[in-house]
Amino acid sequence: MDTNTAIAALAALAQSTRLDTFRLLVKNEPEGVPAGDLARALSVPHNTMSSHLATLSRAGLIRSERQSRSIIYRADVDVLRNLTLFLVKDCCGGSPELCGPLIAELTPCCAPEPLRS
Amino acid sequence: MDTNTAIAALAALAQSTRLDTFRLLVKNEPEGVPAGDLARALSVPHNTMSSHLATLSRAGLIRSERQSRSIIYRADVDVLRNLTLFLVKDCCGGSPELCGPLIAELTPCCAPEPLRS
DNA sequence: CTGCTTTTTCGATAATCATGGAAATAAGCT
DNA sequence: AGCTTATTTCCATGATTATCGAAAAAGCAG
């Protein structure tokens, strides 16, 4: 992920309505949520929500797909993952020991391979 | 980390000079860098750099300490770590399998316990 | 105290952003 | 075609942000 992409993603998430929207979409993966439902769920006018969705889209954090009259939005978790890597690599590149605790905290919550076999 | 803190940190990093500054400070942990050197390194006027440093400080991402005439700035990696956890927990909370790949990519770069014994 | 260095604060300007009313577009239904 | 629903675009407003010149503050040395 290049710097400009990262900045766009950071800026997109640095606004409460957009952050709430993105988190709501992540929770509703992979079905997605229509634009109108998002506006209603967050008590935001349709046009305001629409412009926030456009910002998140431009940042690549969400994708949309028309489904008859509704437009379904979905979170693109890959971009979130890349953004996280982008941020973490700065601190790991310089001093790996600083980020050990991060892995330690992250692993119990979402280890790549569950312990149950 | 609460939402407002996260938004402040995201907004602070969503600007190229500030992002560059923060990355430079992370690279220079734990010695830190004086404000003037930061301005010079990034070719930014002193007062402009000063206001960016104030923004990063308010977001908790950096700390400052006077050392005779200079003011030394240091990155606070804890806040970066908490911000990362904040972002990742959204996707892990909803669907842990989405974030397995993140751990997988992160571990080789900065595993909590080095393989060499 | 005067002069020098380093950094911040003040203040102004231009640019970008958030918000939402009103109109436009798109899709389906009768 | 006309009518309803869902969403976006257009446009104007007020608010916030980025930038930087000029002046102020904080510290050190003579």
Side-chain angles (χ1 to χ4, degrees):
Chain A
M1 174 175 277
D2 66 293
T3 304
N4 288 339
T5 311
I7 286 179
L10 290 166
L13 294 176
Q15 202 279 338
S16 57
T17 301
R18 285 195 298 263
L19 182 57
D20 290 346
T21 302
F22 183 70
R23 300 175 91 181
L24 209 157
L25 285 175
V26 168
K27 282 211 179 65
N28 285 274
E29 271 291 285
E31 325 89 68
V33 182
D37 288 7
L38 289 170
R40 215 165 302 117
L42 300 178
S43 305
V44 169
H46 290 165
N47 51 0
T48 302
M49 176 54 76
S50 184
S51 79
H52 285 312
L53 289 170
T55 300
L56 286 166
S57 268
R58 273 194 302 274
L61 286 161
I62 63 176
R63 304 201 174 282
S64 62
E65 185 198 348
R66 170 147 242 147
Q67 190 171 298
S68 100
R69 268 182 292 196
S70 299
I71 295 184
I72 309 291
Y73 281 90
R74 292 194 182 78
D76 187 334
V77 189
D78 272 11
V79 177
L80 179 62
R81 189 153 53 217
N82 287 334
L83 176 62
T84 306
L85 281 169
F86 176 90
L87 289 177
V88 171
K89 274 185 177 161
D90 277 335
C91 84
C92 290
S95 40
E97 70 277 11
L98 291 175
C99 290
L102 175 62
I103 305 278
E105 281 194 74
L106 229 45
T107 306
C109 123
C110 39
E113 297 166 42
L115 294 178
R116 312 165 26 109
S117 63
Chain B
M1 174 174 276
D2 66 293
T3 304
N4 287 340
T5 310
I7 287 180
L10 290 166
L13 294 176
Q15 203 277 340
S16 58
T17 303
R18 285 196 298 265
L19 183 56
D20 290 346
T21 302
F22 183 71
R23 299 176 91 179
L24 209 157
L25 285 175
V26 168
K27 281 212 180 63
N28 285 275
E29 272 290 286
E31 326 88 70
V33 182
D37 288 6
L38 289 170
R40 214 165 302 116
L42 301 179
S43 305
V44 169
H46 288 166
N47 50 3
T48 302
M49 177 53 78
S50 183
S51 78
H52 285 312
L53 289 171
T55 301
L56 287 166
S57 270
R58 272 194 302 275
L61 286 161
I62 63 176
R63 305 200 174 282
S64 61
E65 184 196 350
R66 173 146 240 148
Q67 190 170 298
S68 99
R69 267 180 295 195
S70 299
I71 294 184
I72 309 292
Y73 281 90
R74 290 192 183 80
D76 187 334
V77 189
D78 272 10
V79 177
L80 179 62
R81 188 153 53 217
N82 288 334
L83 177 62
T84 307
L85 282 169
F86 177 89
L87 289 177
V88 171
K89 276 186 176 161
D90 276 336
C91 84
C92 290
S95 40
E97 71 277 11
L98 291 175
C99 290
L102 175 62
I103 305 276
E105 280 194 75
L106 228 44
T107 306
C109 125
C110 40
E113 296 164 43
L115 295 178
R116 313 165 25 107
S117 62

